[in-house]
Amino acid sequence: METTLRGVGVSHGVAIGEVRHMGTAVLEPPAKQIPAEEAEREQGRARQAVEAVAADLIARGNLAGGEAQHVLEAQAMMAQDPELMADVERRIAVGSTAERGVYDAFASYRALLAGAGEYLAGRVADLDDVRNRIVARLLGVPMPGVPDSDEPYVLIARDLAPADTALLDPALVLGFVTEEGGPTSHSAILARALGVPAVVALPGAGELAEGTLIAVDGSTGEIFVDPSDAKRAELESAAAARKAALTAATGPGATSDGHKVPLLANVGGPADVPAAVEAGAEGVGLFRTEFLFLDDSKQAPSEEKQIAAYRAVLEAFPEGRVVVRVLDAGADKPLDFLTPADEPNPALGVRGLRSLLDHPDVLRTQLTALSKAAEGLPVYLEVMAPMVADRADAKAFADACREAGLNAKFGAMVEIPSAALRARSVLQEVEFLSLGTNDLAQYTFAADRQVGAVSRLQDPWQPALLDLVALSAEAAKAEGKSCGVCGEAASDPLLACVLTGLGVTSLSMGAASIPYVRATLAKYTLAQCERAASAARAADSAEEARRAAQAVLSGE
């Protein structure tokens, strides 16, 4: 009998296939004591396992490229954390086996993360995956992971570690469903990069029996268990219609009556550029520069290394707009040379622009490198600061840009509610705003973007979040300046229409989402988008806002 479940759709498309479950977690190793003379050998085994796992994660990242590479390299750094390794060796020195020492040290570190505020608690799933890989290697057992199957299937998991998500084969994994995660979790971001339909935050997903036929709609978040022939035909027809619309829509982003809405790409480095160009991106709306700094948490990359990486991206978009975000360190991206190690809640501490203003040499080197990278190129370079709270922050960043001789527009990211509420004040110091809806939602609702239990508050359709977007866009219009969206909200085609109606002047997203947004925008006039935006803001919940906007655009 057909039943319907609902999670959070995070990657467009429809997948119909049989359920296959992710392998179970590594078993807890036995707690047995070893003689003192074996401690040195066990410590060596532990070090070798850690290095092997880190090397494997880096190799997987090199194979995957793009966003996945940055995530996996960060995981490799987690595995090699010197304090964590020192704890492992201390435990072995007092009698633990290598595998038990690793297990207990990671358990202790896990407890610290879980209790350090929700932002860092979101890293627990990544930490657990690293632990499992090290323990599995020490025990000499295969690492549980993606099931071995010759037939295509829909993957079900409690959560997907980045190392597993990055190397999914879209020819075999038709789509995936997870019990945990949210719209901005690593698994969601990587699913969109792969173009695999995905639904997250579905309670009870693990209870679906192996081999059960399900249909996954990654756009609506709906899961149809044992779908009827009629439902399968309906979903396949809708998927075919979407594909036809994608093929038909080409060129710059615009509404049906010609209102231009540039569609830009979010990129994490040169590896992401080919997909952005292929998708028809009109430029880059968010160039994350953290990938350069995560290679070595002990020191910043040289100016020469930065110039080469920046120029590789800038050269790909002649006459296009490239918006670079300066280093956004802190919280879940700690750097030893930049961020405090003992903050009780790093998400609310010294992160983003605050870190850079405390280390002006790092900011100056990055701005100088960007200036030199753009020399002689016909590109429209724009540089923005993350985590701007007020006019004083904006002025400090603008002054730093001018002091570095940067020939570019400089702007501020709106990720903190205070910046949206006082947007006109911020715009006295900078030339544009860019809304990071992921963090803006996190700080507006006190809801960690990596925690599935609060995913409803991370939904970018929340009317309170739309109100903050509207405030920012209205302020930019009043000042004659631009206001884009570079958060994951822009990747939702229906929401892209609402954002346009709110007055947003450009949309930036993962490359895989650009064709969907282009095709949907082209179906509606600006006036229709504005009416949909008004209807969404008048609602009292995210679900009501989505339905209200859909009703307006469908003419109901």
Side-chain angles (χ1 to χ4, degrees), residues 13 16 31 40 54 77 118 142 192 244 259 305 322 350 361 392 394 474 484 505 513 515 535:
I16 302 174
E40 187 174 343
M77 287 173 56
E118 288 189 345
R192 285 189 286 272
H259 174 73
K305 183 176 181 179
V322 175
V350 182
D361 53 323
E474 289 162 5
T505 55
S513 298

Side-chain angles (χ1 to χ4, degrees), residues 245-246 249 263 278-280 509-520:
L246 293 182
L263 303 181
E278 185 179 350
M509 64 209 77
S513 298
I514 291 175
Y516 290 93
V517 173
R518 182 190 291 120
T520 305

Side-chain angles (χ1 to χ4, degrees), residues 18-358:
E18 292 185 358
V19 164
R20 293 286 183 275
H21 286 272
M22 195 77 171
T24 56
V26 172
L27 294 175
E28 180 179 346
K32 65 178 183 180
Q33 290 291 108
I34 60 169
E37 60 268 21
E38 292 183 14
E40 187 174 343
R41 179 178 66 84
E42 290 295 289
Q43 289 172 340
R45 285 181 64 227
R47 286 192 295 270
Q48 288 174 0
V50 165
E51 291 305 319
V53 166
D56 179 61
L57 289 168
I58 290 170
R60 285 169 177 259
N62 290 337
L63 281 173
E67 184 74 36
Q69 184 171 4
H70 315 321
V71 172
L72 293 175
E73 286 174 350
Q75 257 196 308
M77 287 173 56
M78 184 181 284
Q80 296 170 306
D81 182 276
E83 290 187 15
L84 192 52
M85 194 62 228
D87 189 20
V88 170
E89 294 189 346
R90 278 195 299 270
R91 293 174 187 274
I92 294 173
V94 294
S96 288
T97 61
E99 47 267 38
R100 189 69 206 193
V102 167
Y103 187 90
D104 289 341
F106 272 74
S108 177
Y109 193 34
R110 187 185 198 279
L112 287 174
L113 282 185
E118 288 189 345
Y119 202 94
L120 278 180
R123 301 274 67 79
V124 165
D126 291 0
L127 184 70
D128 286 348
D129 179 60
V130 172
R131 177 205 64 202
N132 288 348
R133 291 176 186 280
I134 297 171
V135 171
R137 181 170 286 272
L138 286 167
L139 291 174
V141 300
M143 174 65 196
V146 177
D148 186 17
S149 175
D150 294 329
E151 298 296 324
Y153 58 91
V154 176
L155 182 63
I156 307 291
R158 181 174 182 83
D159 202 356
L160 277 173
D164 292 316
T165 313
L167 296 182
L168 290 180
D169 181 355
L172 282 177
V173 181
L174 303 172
F176 68 76
V177 180
T178 65
E179 291 192 47
E180 298 183 353
T184 58
S185 63
H186 282 154
S187 54
I189 292 170
L190 296 179
R192 285 189 286 272
L194 287 167
V196 176
V199 172
V200 300
L202 179 69
E207 297 171 13
L208 291 168
E210 189 87 2
T212 302
L213 183 70
I214 64 171
V216 178
D217 190 328
S219 299
T220 66
E222 291 174 303
I223 306 294
F224 303 95
V225 182
D226 292 322
S228 64
D229 290 343
K231 173 56 72 175
R232 292 181 64 176
E234 176 190 331
L235 291 169
E236 288 168 349
S237 175
R242 286 179 194 150
K243 188 173 182 179
L246 293 182
T247 303
T250 57
T255 58
S256 63
D257 56 340
H259 174 73
K260 293 182 178 179
V261 187
L263 303 181
L264 311 170
N266 294 343
V267 303
D272 293 340
V273 168
V277 173
E278 185 179 350
E282 297 167 60
V284 172
L286 173 61
F287 178 8
R288 305 181 184 94
T289 57
E290 289 75 45
F291 77 102
L292 277 168
F293 293 80
L294 291 173
D295 283 346
D296 183 354
S297 67
K298 303 296 183 186
Q299 61 183 359
S302 67
E303 182 179 303
E304 292 71 24
K305 183 176 181 179
Q306 292 189 54
I307 291 171
Y310 302 150
R311 195 169 180 90
V313 175
L314 296 175
E315 287 176 336
F317 295 95
E319 306 294 339
R321 177 186 178 201
V322 175
V323 184
V324 180
R325 181 181 70 191
V326 294
L327 175 63
D328 183 14
D332 66 335
K333 292 170 286 193
L335 293 171
D336 293 346
F337 67 89
L338 200 66
T339 49
D342 55 354
E343 288 185 312
N345 192 339
L348 302 180
V350 182
R351 63 166 295 199
L353 179 62
R354 298 167 189 174
S355 293
L356 293 174
L357 294 179
D358 280 352

